[in-house]
Amino acid sequence: MNHYETVFILNPVLSETQVKETVEKYEDFLVSRGAKMIAKEDWGLKKLAYPIQNKKSGFYHLFEYTVEGEVISPLELEFRRDERFMRYLTVKLDKHAIAWAEKRRNRNKQKA
C-alpha cells in the first residue's frame, strides 16, 4: 500500500450540491478499490493563479489516502473524462511528506 495525496480543482459554476456529489463519487471510487481514506479537506472557492478554461476561480479539494499503485491510473482517467474537473495532481508521499501532512492536519485541527 502506497500513501498518496490528490488535489483537484472543480469548475466554479457548479452548485454546492454538485460539488459535494462529485467529491463523494470519487471518494467512493477510491474506497471501492480498496483505498483507506486518511484525510479529506475542502479548501473552498479560491482564485486561480492564471485562467483555466476562461475561469478565474475553482473549488479546491484534497484527498489523502493509502491504496495500491495500480488504482491511480484509472482514477486519473476518470478525472480526465469528467468535465467538472479543471486540474488535478496526485503525488506519492514519502516518509517526510507523510510526517509533514500529519503536522498540517494537526495544525488545522487546532485552528478549528
Side-chain angles (χ1 to χ4, degrees):
M1 292 285 246
N2 297 320
H3 204 112
Y4 292 97
E5 188 174 81
T6 299
V7 177
F8 53 90
I9 307 172
L10 296 173
N11 200 318
V13 299
L14 299 174
S15 70
E16 281 294 320
T17 55
Q18 289 172 318
V19 169
K20 189 183 270 187
E21 287 171 3
T22 304
V23 170
E24 287 174 4
K25 174 183 175 186
Y26 288 97
E27 183 181 5
D28 293 344
F29 179 89
L30 284 167
V31 171
S32 70
R33 284 163 175 74
K36 179 179 176 262
M37 297 302 284
I38 295 168
K40 193 172 71 165
E41 295 179 22
D42 175 7
W43 294 348
L45 186 66
K46 294 197 175 279
K47 186 175 183 235
L48 301 173
Y50 56 90
I52 301 172
Q53 301 168 358
N54 294 323
K55 308 280 189 302
K56 293 185 170 123
S57 61
F59 290 104
Y60 281 71
H61 285 271
L62 175 129
F63 285 167
E64 188 180 336
Y65 52 94
T66 57
V67 72
E68 294 297 327
E70 55 269 3
V71 174
I72 300 303
S73 197
L75 173 67
E76 291 188 343
L77 180 64
E78 290 296 318
F79 284 167
R80 274 185 241 123
R81 288 180 177 164
D82 195 333
E83 62 198 24
R84 297 173 287 196
F85 284 83
M86 294 168 52
R87 291 283 190 276
Y88 62 89
L89 178 66
T90 301
V91 179
K92 181 178 175 186
L93 302 178
D94 63 4
K95 65 181 181 180
H96 304 292
I98 293 169
W100 185 87
E102 193 170 325
K103 273 194 241 176
R104 182 179 47 78
R105 280 195 310 272
N106 291 337
R107 192 173 50 236
N108 289 344
K109 281 181 188 174
Q110 289 174 354
K111 286 182 182 178

